[in-house]
Coordinates of all heavy atoms in Angstrom, one line a residue:
K490 N -1.0 9.2 10.0 CA -2.2 8.9 9.3 C -2.1 9.1 7.8 O -1.3 9.9 7.4 CB -3.4 9.6 9.9 CG -3.7 9.4 11.4 CD -4.9 10.2 11.8 CE -5.3 9.9 13.3 NZ -6.5 10.7 13.7
Q491 N -3.1 8.6 7.1 CA -3.1 8.9 5.7 C -3.9 10.3 5.5 O -4.7 10.7 6.3 CB -3.9 7.8 4.9 CG -3.1 6.5 4.8 CD -3.8 5.5 3.9 OE1 -5.0 5.5 3.7 NE2 -3.0 4.6 3.4
R492 N -3.6 10.9 4.4 CA -4.3 12.1 4.0 C -5.7 11.8 3.8 O -6.1 10.8 3.1 CB -3.7 12.7 2.7 CG -4.0 14.2 2.5 CD -3.2 14.7 1.4 NE -1.8 14.8 1.7 CZ -0.9 15.5 1.0 NH1 -1.3 16.1 -0.1 NH2 0.4 15.5 1.3
E493 N -6.6 12.7 4.4 CA -8.1 12.4 4.3 C -8.8 13.7 3.8 O -8.4 14.8 4.1 CB -8.6 11.9 5.6 CG -8.4 12.9 6.8 CD -9.0 12.4 8.1 OE1 -9.3 11.2 8.2 OE2 -9.1 13.2 9.0
F494 N -10.0 13.4 3.2 CA -10.8 14.5 2.8 C -11.4 15.2 4.0 O -11.9 14.5 5.0 CB -11.9 13.9 1.9 CG -13.1 14.9 1.5 CD1 -12.8 15.8 0.5 CD2 -14.2 14.9 2.2 CE1 -13.8 16.7 0.2 CE2 -15.2 15.7 1.9 CZ -15.1 16.6 0.9
V495 N -11.5 16.5 3.9 CA -12.2 17.3 4.9 C -13.5 18.0 4.4 O -14.5 17.8 4.9 CB -11.3 18.4 5.5 CG1 -12.0 19.3 6.5 CG2 -10.0 17.7 6.1
A496 N -13.3 18.7 3.3 CA -14.5 19.5 2.8 C -14.2 20.0 1.3 O -13.0 20.1 1.0 CB -14.8 20.7 3.6
S497 N -15.2 20.1 0.5 CA -15.1 20.6 -0.8 C -16.2 21.6 -1.1 O -17.3 21.6 -0.5 CB -15.1 19.5 -1.8 OG -16.3 18.8 -1.8
I498 N -15.9 22.5 -2.1 CA -16.9 23.5 -2.6 C -16.8 23.6 -4.1 O -15.7 23.8 -4.6 CB -16.8 24.8 -1.8 CG1 -17.9 25.8 -2.2 CG2 -15.4 25.4 -2.0 CD1 -17.9 27.0 -1.4
R499 N -17.9 23.4 -4.7 CA -17.9 23.6 -6.2 C -18.1 25.0 -6.6 O -18.5 25.9 -5.8 CB -19.0 22.7 -6.8 CG -18.7 21.2 -6.7 CD -19.7 20.4 -7.5 NE -19.2 19.0 -7.7 CZ -19.9 18.1 -8.4 NH1 -21.0 18.4 -9.0 NH2 -19.4 16.9 -8.5
G500 N -17.9 25.3 -7.9 CA -18.2 26.6 -8.4 C -19.6 27.1 -8.2 O -19.9 28.3 -8.1
N501 N -20.5 26.2 -8.1 CA -21.9 26.5 -7.9 C -22.3 26.6 -6.4 O -23.4 26.6 -6.0 CB -22.9 25.6 -8.6 CG -22.8 24.2 -8.1 OD1 -22.0 23.8 -7.2 ND2 -23.5 23.2 -8.7
N502 N -21.2 26.5 -5.6 CA -21.3 26.5 -4.1 C -21.9 25.2 -3.5 O -22.3 25.3 -2.3 CB -22.1 27.7 -3.6 CG -21.2 29.0 -3.7 OD1 -20.0 29.0 -3.5 ND2 -21.8 30.1 -4.1
E503 N -22.0 24.2 -4.3 CA -22.4 22.9 -3.7 C -21.2 22.5 -2.7 O -20.1 22.5 -3.1 CB -22.6 21.8 -4.7 CG -23.0 20.5 -4.2 CD -23.1 19.4 -5.4 OE1 -23.3 19.8 -6.5 OE2 -23.0 18.2 -5.0
I504 N -21.6 22.0 -1.5 CA -20.6 21.8 -0.5 C -20.8 20.4 0.0 O -21.9 19.8 0.2 CB -20.7 22.8 0.7 CG1 -20.3 24.2 0.2 CG2 -20.0 22.4 1.9 CD1 -20.6 25.3 1.2
K505 N -19.6 19.8 0.4 CA -19.6 18.5 1.0 C -18.6 18.6 2.2 O -17.6 19.2 2.1 CB -19.1 17.4 0.1 CG -20.1 17.2 -1.1 CD -19.5 16.1 -2.0 CE -20.5 15.8 -3.2 NZ -20.0 14.8 -4.1
Y506 N -18.9 17.8 3.2 CA -18.0 17.7 4.4 C -17.9 16.2 4.7 O -18.8 15.4 4.6 CB -18.7 18.3 5.6 CG -18.8 19.9 5.5 CD1 -20.1 20.4 5.2 CD2 -17.7 20.7 5.7 CE1 -20.2 21.8 5.2 CE2 -17.8 22.1 5.6 CZ -19.1 22.6 5.3 OH -19.2 24.0 5.2
D507 N -16.7 15.9 5.3 CA -16.5 14.6 6.0 C -17.4 14.6 7.2 O -17.5 15.6 7.9 CB -15.0 14.4 6.3 CG -14.9 13.1 6.9 OD1 -14.9 12.0 6.2 OD2 -14.7 12.9 8.2
A508 N -17.9 13.5 7.6 CA -18.7 13.4 8.8 C -18.0 13.9 10.1 O -18.7 14.4 11.0 CB -19.3 12.0 9.0
S509 N -16.7 13.7 10.2 CA -16.0 14.0 11.3 C -15.9 15.6 11.6 O -15.6 15.9 12.8 CB -14.6 13.4 11.3 OG -13.8 14.1 10.2
V510 N -16.2 16.3 10.6 CA -16.1 17.8 10.8 C -17.4 18.5 10.5 O -17.5 19.7 10.7 CB -15.0 18.4 9.8 CG1 -13.7 17.7 10.1 CG2 -15.4 18.4 8.4
N511 N -18.4 17.8 10.1 CA -19.7 18.4 9.8 C -20.3 19.1 11.1 O -20.2 18.6 12.2 CB -20.7 17.3 9.4 CG -21.8 17.9 8.6 OD1 -21.8 19.0 8.1 ND2 -22.9 17.1 8.6
R512 N -20.8 20.3 10.8 CA -21.3 21.1 11.8 C -20.3 21.9 12.7 O -20.6 22.7 13.5 CB -22.3 20.4 12.8 CG -23.4 19.7 12.1 CD -24.3 19.1 13.1 NE -25.5 18.4 12.5 CZ -26.6 18.9 12.1 NH1 -26.8 20.2 12.4 NH2 -27.5 18.2 11.6
R513 N -19.0 21.6 12.5 CA -17.9 22.3 13.2 C -17.1 23.1 12.2 O -16.6 24.2 12.6 CB -17.0 21.3 13.9 CG -17.7 20.5 14.9 CD -16.6 19.7 15.8 NE -15.9 18.8 15.0 CZ -14.6 18.8 14.9 NH1 -13.8 19.7 15.6 NH2 -13.9 17.9 14.2
F514 N -16.9 22.6 11.0 CA -16.1 23.3 10.0 C -17.0 23.9 8.9 O -18.1 23.3 8.6 CB -15.2 22.3 9.3 CG -14.0 21.9 10.2 CD1 -14.0 22.1 11.6 CD2 -13.0 21.2 9.7 CE1 -13.0 21.7 12.4 CE2 -11.9 20.7 10.4 CZ -11.9 21.0 11.8
T515 N -16.6 25.0 8.3 CA -17.4 25.6 7.3 C -16.5 26.0 6.2 O -15.5 26.8 6.4 CB -18.1 26.9 7.8 OG1 -19.0 26.6 8.9 CG2 -18.9 27.5 6.7
I516 N -16.7 25.6 5.0 CA -15.9 25.9 3.8 C -16.6 27.0 3.0 O -17.9 27.0 2.9 CB -15.6 24.6 2.9 CG1 -14.6 25.0 1.9 CG2 -16.9 24.1 2.3 CD1 -14.1 23.8 1.0
S517 N -15.8 28.0 2.5 CA -16.5 29.0 1.8 C -15.4 29.5 0.7 O -14.3 29.1 0.8 CB -16.9 30.2 2.7 OG -15.8 30.7 3.3
R518 N -15.9 30.4 -0.2 CA -15.0 30.9 -1.2 C -15.3 32.3 -1.5 O -16.4 32.8 -1.3 CB -15.1 30.0 -2.5 CG -16.5 30.1 -3.1 CD -16.6 29.0 -4.2 NE -15.6 29.1 -5.2 CZ -15.2 28.1 -6.0 NH1 -15.6 27.0 -5.8 NH2 -14.3 28.4 -7.0
D519 N -14.3 33.0 -1.9 CA -14.4 34.4 -2.4 C -13.8 34.4 -3.8 O -12.6 34.5 -3.9 CB -13.7 35.4 -1.4 CG -13.9 36.9 -1.8 OD1 -14.2 37.1 -3.0 OD2 -13.7 37.7 -1.0
N520 N -14.6 34.4 -4.8 CA -14.2 34.4 -6.2 C -13.4 35.6 -6.6 O -12.5 35.5 -7.4 CB -15.3 34.1 -7.1 CG -15.9 32.7 -7.0 OD1 -15.3 31.8 -6.5 ND2 -17.1 32.5 -7.5
A521 N -13.7 36.7 -6.0 CA -13.0 38.0 -6.3 C -11.6 37.9 -5.8 O -10.7 38.6 -6.4 CB -13.7 39.2 -5.7
K522 N -11.3 37.1 -4.8 CA -10.0 37.0 -4.3 C -9.3 35.7 -4.6 O -8.2 35.4 -4.1 CB -10.0 37.2 -2.7 CG -10.4 38.5 -2.3 CD -10.5 38.6 -0.7 CE -10.9 40.0 -0.4 NZ -10.9 40.1 1.2
N523 N -9.9 34.8 -5.4 CA -9.4 33.5 -5.8 C -9.0 32.7 -4.5 O -7.9 32.1 -4.5 CB -8.2 33.6 -6.7 CG -8.6 33.9 -8.1 OD1 -9.7 34.2 -8.4 ND2 -7.7 33.6 -9.1
T524 N -9.9 32.9 -3.5 CA -9.5 32.2 -2.2 C -10.7 31.4 -1.7 O -11.8 31.7 -1.8 CB -9.3 33.4 -1.2 OG1 -8.2 34.3 -1.6 CG2 -8.9 32.8 0.2
V525 N -10.2 30.2 -1.1 CA -11.1 29.4 -0.5 C -10.7 29.3 1.1 O -9.5 29.4 1.4 CB -11.1 27.9 -1.0 CG1 -9.8 27.3 -1.0 CG2 -12.1 27.0 -0.4
Y526 N -11.8 29.3 1.9 CA -11.5 29.3 3.3 C -12.0 28.1 4.1 O -12.9 27.4 3.5 CB -12.3 30.5 3.9 CG -11.9 31.8 3.3 CD1 -12.7 32.5 2.4 CD2 -10.8 32.6 3.8 CE1 -12.3 33.7 1.8 CE2 -10.4 33.8 3.3 CZ -11.2 34.3 2.3 OH -10.9 35.6 1.7
L527 N -11.5 27.8 5.2 CA -12.0 26.8 6.0 C -12.0 27.3 7.4 O -11.0 27.5 8.1 CB -11.1 25.5 6.0 CG -11.7 24.3 6.8 CD1 -12.9 23.8 6.1 CD2 -10.6 23.2 6.9
Q528 N -13.2 27.6 7.9 CA -13.5 28.0 9.3 C -13.6 26.8 10.1 O -14.5 26.0 9.9 CB -14.7 29.0 9.4 CG -15.1 29.4 10.7 CD -14.0 30.4 11.3 OE1 -13.5 31.3 10.7 NE2 -13.7 30.1 12.6
M529 N -12.8 26.7 11.1 CA -12.8 25.5 12.0 C -13.2 26.0 13.4 O -12.5 26.8 14.0 CB -11.5 24.9 12.0 CG -11.0 24.5 10.6 SD -9.4 23.6 10.6 CE -8.3 24.8 11.2
N530 N -14.3 25.5 14.0 CA -14.7 25.7 15.2 C -14.8 24.5 16.1 O -14.7 23.4 15.6 CB -16.1 26.4 15.3 CG -16.1 27.7 14.5 OD1 -15.2 28.4 14.5 ND2 -17.3 27.9 13.8
S531 N -14.9 24.7 17.4 CA -14.9 23.6 18.4 C -13.8 22.5 18.1 O -14.0 21.4 18.0 CB -16.3 22.9 18.3 OG -17.3 23.8 18.6
L532 N -12.6 23.0 17.9 CA -11.5 22.2 17.5 C -11.2 21.1 18.6 O -11.3 21.5 19.9 CB -10.3 23.0 17.2 CG -10.3 23.7 15.8 CD1 -9.4 24.8 15.7 CD2 -10.1 22.6 14.7
K533 N -10.8 20.0 18.2 CA -10.4 18.9 19.0 C -9.0 18.5 18.8 O -8.5 18.7 17.7 CB -11.4 17.7 18.7 CG -12.8 18.0 18.8 CD -13.6 16.8 18.4 CE -15.2 17.0 18.4 NZ -15.9 15.8 18.0

């Protein structure tokens, strides 16, 4: 498959998800650790 968008998070914490992962995946960030996370639940 081609590379596809999953989720994004802006500096103001505005978040977007692709419809295929909405309500299953959660994107978050920890600015103190320069880290962005992707929590994936109900994996298929």
Side-chain angles (χ1 to χ4, degrees):
K490 298 181 179 180
Q491 291 189 332
R492 196 170 296 189
E493 62 181 12
F494 171 80
V495 176
S497 65
I498 182 168
R499 289 189 167 184
N501 63 0
N502 285 324
E503 179 182 338
I504 289 173
K505 294 181 180 179
Y506 295 103
D507 180 77
S509 65
V510 306
N511 199 18
R512 301 182 183 273
R513 298 189 300 122
F514 290 11
T515 302
I516 189 170
S517 62
R518 64 193 298 154
D519 185 338
N520 289 339
K522 296 181 179 180
N523 279 18
T524 301
V525 60
Y526 303 98
L527 186 68
Q528 176 66 43
M529 305 184 294
N530 298 328
S531 302
L532 282 161
K533 305 174 182 180

